[in-house]
Amino acid sequence: VRVKTVEALTVAVIKFSGYATPDVVFGKRDECKGLLARDGVAYDAKEADTQLMMAQYNELFSLPWNRDNEVWLPIVKWPE
C-alpha cells in the first residue's frame, strides 16, 4: 500500500443516473459549466475541457435507473 498526500481539491458536482455515455457525460459537464457561470463561480476551464473527472458508484451491471454517476469540475474561486 502506498500513501500519497495531494493538494486539496474543491469541485462542483452534478449528479445523473443511467449509463455514462460520452454524450451524457459531456452534456452534464456543459450543464455544470453553465450553472457555474450563471452563479459567478470561477472554474478551471482548461481542466474541464481536457481532463474530465467523473465518479461512478454502482456495479457495472446495475440497472440504468439504479446507477449513480457524477461529473466533477475543479473550482478556482467562489464569488465573494
Side-chain angles (χ1 to χ4, degrees):
V1 173
R2 289 184 151 190
V3 177
K4 182 179 179 182
T5 301
V6 295
E7 186 177 325
L9 177 66
T10 302
V11 295
V13 175
I14 189 163
K15 294 182 174 194
F16 64 99
S17 61
Y19 293 113
T21 62
D23 289 343
V24 172
V25 171
F26 290 124
K28 288 296 178 181
R29 177 203 61 189
D30 294 342
E31 181 182 349
C32 190
K33 286 166 60 173
L35 293 169
L36 293 173
R38 178 198 70 191
D39 293 340
V41 178
Y43 62 93
D44 188 336
K46 181 180 178 188
E47 180 85 12
D49 290 339
T50 60
Q51 297 184 14
L52 182 66
M53 291 185 285
M54 193 181 100
Q56 295 179 290
Y57 297 102
N58 304 94
E59 297 83 17
L60 182 59
F61 299 107
S62 293
L63 296 171
W65 51 87
N66 287 334
R67 296 181 67 85
D68 298 308
N69 309 295
E70 297 174 345
V71 170
W72 299 0
L73 294 182
I75 298 300
V76 175
K77 185 177 179 188
W78 289 104
E80 301 280 331

